[in-house]
Amino acid sequence: MIRSTFAVIAMLCWAGTVMAQTEAEPEKGRWSIAIHGGAGTLERDRITPEKDAEIRAALNQALAIGSKILDDGGSAMDAITATIVSMENDPNFNAGKGAVFTWDRTNELDTSIMDGSDLSAGAAASINGTKNPILLARAVKDHSPHVMLSGEGANQFSREQGLEQVPPEYYATPYRLEQIDRLLSKEVSAADIDYKFGTVGAVAMDSQGHMAAGTSTGGMTGKRWGRIGDSPVIGAGTYADDRSCAISATGSGEYFIRLGVAHEICTRIRIRFPAAIAEAQLAVPKDSDGNYTYVIHASEFMLPDEEIQQIADDVIAELGTLGGDGGIIYATPWGQAGYSFNTPGMYRGRATSGGEASVAIYGDEQ
């Protein structure tokens, strides 16, 4: 099936009628964005209709913010930053306001961001005091010689950068306080508490063809000993590369780190692309001397939607084999935006300049 798809594309190229959507250099105004607000045991019988509506409204708001920036010609970096800030400000998610509590009843937030145009990145781990952690990740990327800062040093850098600071009680919500109280009283286990991962993230391609990805989380309820998950780890929870894709992850962080999920997906796409061009070239007619009558260039070729999805699904399947739960969102240089997850549901949404815009929660939703 895939080979026949390449053959059709090759013939279109040879005939000089390649569709605009196959151009690697995006046509003016073309963009895409995908967002997530966590994955886990998100089932209809565990979420009230009121909470369902509340979550969808929050996802739609975040998606609209990023979409407007992209539609106005803004950068992917600006779009994902503003989108994640919106979700960090919403107590429904485990990031910023609404972050979960550690074993010591404190908050330790993690975040990262990456620019696919130059592979620059910034991250912060085990921080508190910053209202919007994603802004700290971006400040690390833009205004420091480092990629990752942690703990009090990162907090100090945040203050020096003039980022908005908040008192410890800012992050607390009645729901999160109830979670940690139940865990510490041994009413429930950590597995029962964290029936979903509320990490937030966004990925995008802008009208210049540049990719960006960002992730922000409050960590794991009841975590101890300064545990750090995948969210601030470039290549595990976040990765962006103009040559392949942008990825943001959510789930059981230890497994995402072990598999290097974000980087693994981008690498497989980057490796597959030239191989796919070579396969498509085989379908181009040859002249009497045995030479191809048309040479397919990368600028007029794309990986099909189904192959991008298969690559993402394969890596998430490997994650599951290791014992990990969760999912990812992706955006590609060819305008695709989507997700893959192995949990019953994932808070998610996507939009493109072609008019597509949707949000979803449960696994049976498109």
Side-chain angles (χ1 to χ4, degrees):
M1 178 65 181
I2 290 175
R3 181 174 292 275
S4 65
T5 300
F6 292 149
V8 171
I9 293 175
M11 291 303 293
L12 287 174
C13 293
W14 173 70
T17 58
V18 182
M19 297 175 65
Q21 68 204 46
T22 67
E23 298 173 359
E25 287 295 325
E27 61 192 42
K28 184 178 180 181
R30 193 168 64 146
W31 53 263
S32 63
I33 185 171
I35 66 173
H36 72 75
T41 312
L42 302 172
E43 299 169 326
R44 287 181 172 83
D45 61 353
R46 305 188 70 162
I47 300 177
T48 67
E50 293 76 16
K51 181 59 67 175
D52 179 296
E54 199 173 304
I55 293 292
R56 290 178 192 273
L59 292 171
N60 274 310
Q61 178 181 348
L63 197 61
I65 288 171
S67 296
K68 186 177 189 310
I69 291 172
L70 293 168
D71 202 47
D72 288 344
S75 71
M77 282 296 299
D78 286 347
I80 66 160
T81 300
T83 297
I84 292 173
V85 164
S86 173
M87 291 189 283
E88 287 177 336
N89 291 341
D90 193 304
N92 283 297
F93 305 113
N94 175 22
K97 180 70 173 177
V100 300
F101 285 85
T102 69
W103 185 267
D104 298 318
R105 291 177 63 87
T106 60
N107 303 106
E108 295 177 357
L109 299 91
D110 304 326
T111 182
S112 62
I113 200 167
M114 188 167 185
D115 187 335
S117 67
D118 59 5
L119 303 186
S120 61
S126 297
I127 65 167
N128 56 56
T130 301
K131 180 181 180 182
N132 293 110
I134 194 65
L135 298 182
L136 176 51
R138 183 154 183 185
V140 173
K141 183 187 85 70
D142 293 343
H143 304 300
S144 87
H146 309 299
V147 170
M148 181 185 289
L149 302 180
S150 67
E152 187 49 43
N155 292 336
Q156 178 184 342
F157 180 77
S158 176
R159 295 189 294 269
E160 291 175 355
Q161 290 297 307
L163 299 179
E164 184 176 356
Q165 303 296 300
V166 292
E169 56 269 22
Y170 167 79
Y171 304 112
T173 65
Y175 177 62
R176 297 305 188 194
L177 288 168
E178 178 189 6
Q179 280 185 318
I180 191 61
D181 286 342
R182 294 180 66 197
L183 178 63
L184 294 178
S185 66
K186 299 183 179 179
E187 288 183 33
V188 293
S189 69
D192 291 328
I193 284 289
D194 287 318
Y195 69 90
K196 66 179 186 301
F197 308 97
T199 296
V200 305
V203 297
M205 180 198 78
D206 60 33
S207 58
Q208 300 302 308
H210 296 314
M211 316 295 300
T215 311
S216 182
T217 186
M220 175 187 292
T221 300
K223 70 174 184 175
R224 306 177 73 179
W225 311 298
R227 177 263 186 189
I228 296 171
D230 65 303
S231 295
V233 179
I234 300 300
T238 302
Y239 202 77
D241 185 340
D242 281 6
R243 299 171 297 176
S244 55
C245 66
I247 301 287
S248 175
T250 175
S252 43
E254 282 71 13
Y255 296 95
F256 281 83
I257 293 172
R258 288 165 58 186
L259 196 56
V261 166
H263 184 267
E264 180 71 12
I265 294 172
C266 288
T267 297
R268 292 189 189 190
I269 291 174
R270 183 161 59 89
I271 291 173
R272 178 60 190 153
F273 183 61
I277 294 176
E279 290 177 9
Q281 185 68 54
L282 296 175
V284 176
K286 295 181 179 180
D287 61 21
S288 58
D289 295 323
N291 299 313
Y292 286 114
T293 56
Y294 185 88
V295 177
I296 300 173
H297 297 281
S299 62
E300 53 193 16
F301 193 83
M302 67 180 287
L303 288 181
D305 293 359
E306 59 268 22
E307 187 157 3
I308 297 292
Q309 188 66 53
Q310 189 63 59
I311 290 172
D313 289 347
D314 286 347
V315 175
I316 293 302
E318 292 178 25
L319 178 83
T321 299
L322 287 177
D325 294 328
I328 60 94
I329 51 174
Y330 65 78
T332 75
W334 308 289
Q336 295 123 324
Y339 11 76
S340 179
F341 53 96
N342 64 4
T343 50
M346 181 167 77
Y347 296 142
R348 60 199 188 275
R350 59 184 169 188
T352 70
S353 54
E356 176 186 4
S358 63
V359 298
I361 296 176
Y362 312 110
D364 58 3
E365 295 181 89
Q366 295 298 318

